[in-house]
Amino acid sequence: MCLRGGGVAAVVLVVVFGVGGCKGETLGSAGPDESASGAAGGGGTGGGAALAAVDSLTVKGRAPKTGYARDRFGTAWADTDSNKCDTRDDILKRDLVDVRFRSGGCKVAAGKLDPDPYSGKDVTFTRGRSEVDIDHIVALSDAWQKGAKYWDASKRIALANDPLNLRAVDASTNRSKGDGDTATWLPPNKAYRCTYVANQVAVKKKYELWVTEAEKTAMKKVLSGCAGQKLPAGGNPTEAPARFHAS
């Protein structure tokens, strides 16, 4: 089944947010629950659960990027949910429409972002081309500088492959983001900003990542205009299975 726009269908998510992280088994193809009012972005005032959650985040300065490397978060697109499809294909199946597969039901050959959440335009995906990226909503480098440097490998691998932190998006728009946080980058598509920022808050809360003062201010500025914006939920446990390793 193809899911569109990070919605959830025919899956059950078990999530617990707290000091111990996320416990319980979940399906890696499940994205954040964005069924709340305000999830499409903008409109009204008063915020919601997402805005309230910003105050639960620890505020600290950005640590040095020293020591960061992508492989500190494990091999790219590890099958941490053990569904025999890699994480990238899981997210493509979830976020694209008109999906076509290679032999079997795993490798996505083609599909379409209708529309791309970051730019608001329709984007065609064809395997082997670069029109679509899988974005880490909280960039791995940003995470490294705000707590992940001190984690064990299992937690870093979990973050890198957690559907709550992943979205298929227009490649050219995504590459303007770099490792930006809410204070330095927002999607050009203003209608998606409430959902995007709420998703960053959810990931940082789930994984106990801190935020800078400027980042917290920017999060509150966006979410204060998102009436009823709930905090997205879902994704994988915050520890990857023991068979996965990172440097």
Side-chain angles (χ1 to χ4, degrees), residues 5-23:
V8 180
V11 295
V12 177
L13 305 180
V14 180
V15 178
V16 175
F17 287 122
V19 174
C22 176
K23 303 296 182 184

Side-chain angles (χ1 to χ4, degrees), residues 5 202 205 226:
K205 182 176 176 66
C226 306

Side-chain angles (χ1 to χ4, degrees), residues 6 15 33 48 69-70 138 214:
V15 178
D33 179 355
R70 174 60 180 85
V138 172

Side-chain angles (χ1 to χ4, degrees), residues 139-155:
L140 301 185
S141 172
D142 181 62
W144 179 263
Q145 296 170 80
K146 295 173 182 174
K149 176 179 181 178
Y150 307 103
W151 297 349
D152 60 27
S154 177
K155 189 172 182 180

Side-chain angles (χ1 to χ4, degrees), residues 137-216:
I137 295 166
V138 172
L140 301 185
S141 172
D142 181 62
W144 179 263
Q145 296 170 80
K146 295 173 182 174
K149 176 179 181 178
Y150 307 103
W151 297 349
D152 60 27
S154 177
K155 189 172 182 180
R156 289 198 295 266
I157 294 166
L159 174 68
N161 293 280
D162 193 333
L164 184 67
N165 192 37
L166 298 169
R167 185 73 73 249
V169 297
D170 172 59
S172 61
T173 305
N174 181 51
R175 291 170 196 178
S176 70
K177 172 183 172 178
D179 63 358
D181 59 24
T182 301
T184 59
W185 189 89
L186 289 168
N189 178 19
K190 293 181 180 180
Y192 192 69
R193 288 180 179 178
C194 291
T195 298
Y196 177 79
V197 175
N199 215 150
Q200 284 202 335
V201 174
V203 171
K204 294 211 165 184
K205 182 176 176 66
K206 177 178 178 178
Y207 283 86
E208 300 175 295
L209 292 162
W210 69 74
V211 295
T212 64
E213 190 64 54
E215 183 180 3
K216 178 179 178 179

Side-chain angles (χ1 to χ4, degrees), residues 1 20 28 78 208 230 237:
M1 178 176 291
E208 300 175 295
K230 290 187 178 180

Side-chain angles (χ1 to χ4, degrees), residues 91-127:
I91 301 304
L92 290 171
K93 283 192 290 183
R94 186 194 71 189
D95 292 350
L96 300 178
V97 298
D98 301 330
V99 175
R100 297 196 303 276
F101 297 93
R102 291 184 176 177
S103 58
C106 219
K107 294 291 184 184
V108 176
K112 186 177 183 181
L113 287 169
D114 183 23
D116 160 52
Y118 285 5
S119 67
K121 65 185 181 181
D122 292 349
V123 180
T124 298
F125 169 78
T126 302
R127 199 171 195 95

